[in-house]
Amino acid sequence: QDAISYPVQIIHQGRKTTIDVHENEPILQALERQSTIAGSRDQMALALSSIPHECRRGNCLTCASKNVKRTTSDNNLVVNVDNGLSPTIASELTKSGYVLTCCSYVTGPGVVLELDQNNEVWDAVYRQRLCDGDTKQVALEAQARLLRRVDEENVEKWKNKMKKVLSEEK
């Protein structure tokens, strides 16, 4: 008896091909399975020497892809299952349409994924998070708390510093 499988269109560097993903098979595993076939039309069509991945747990973000047809295929994907990311980050990735192929599954037809989105995901998860206004405010508040704790532990030093500051203001 043949396993149930679903066609998934894969886009990589402007090239397109369709692969079959078996039910309960991670997308990354299907990509690898079909790229190892000698002379595979899929591997040649995508010009992939290897499928991008590192950890197979969703931690490294290397296998990130973008769900191109979100409205059509959202119900046919179970994304980012049991990954090692924080729930907040995993939720943000899913809302933004990013799919970690190592821990995502296809449940129906119509899925279109664009591979090689790890730089975009890295920016969304880390770089943008570190540069937004809220993060800068949190950093300033943390610095203020640290300075206060240091001053509280060194009361005499703090008194002398305050005396000096107050005398300079006169």
Side-chain angles (χ1 to χ4, degrees), residues 139-153:
L140 289 173
E141 290 171 4
Q143 281 181 314
R145 281 193 301 276
L146 178 62
L147 290 173
R148 188 192 81 234
R149 283 184 47 213
V150 168
D151 287 342
E152 287 173 352
E153 292 172 5

Side-chain angles (χ1 to χ4, degrees), residues 7-69:
V8 175
Q9 185 178 19
I10 302 294
I11 303 167
H12 181 258
Q13 297 179 347
R15 295 179 172 164
K16 298 177 185 181
T17 194
T18 300
I19 65 167
D20 290 320
V21 180
H22 297 310
E23 190 173 45
N24 298 318
E25 177 183 37
I27 298 166
L28 175 62
Q29 188 174 334
L31 283 162
E32 291 174 323
R33 177 174 45 79
Q34 291 173 68
S35 70
T36 57
I37 300 168
S40 167
R41 65 173 172 77
D42 299 327
Q43 185 176 17
M44 294 173 76
L46 293 176
L48 286 173
S49 58
S50 66
I51 308 299
H53 74 282
E54 290 292 327
C55 71
R56 294 187 180 274
R57 291 183 308 271
N59 289 332
C60 69
L61 308 176
T62 305
C63 68
S65 63
K66 183 83 170 178
N67 182 3
V68 176
K69 292 176 87 176

Side-chain angles (χ1 to χ4, degrees), residues 127-139:
R127 195 167 295 134
Q128 291 173 9
R129 185 180 298 269
L130 294 175
C131 297
D132 71 2
D134 290 342
T135 304
K136 289 178 183 176
Q137 182 62 34
V138 168

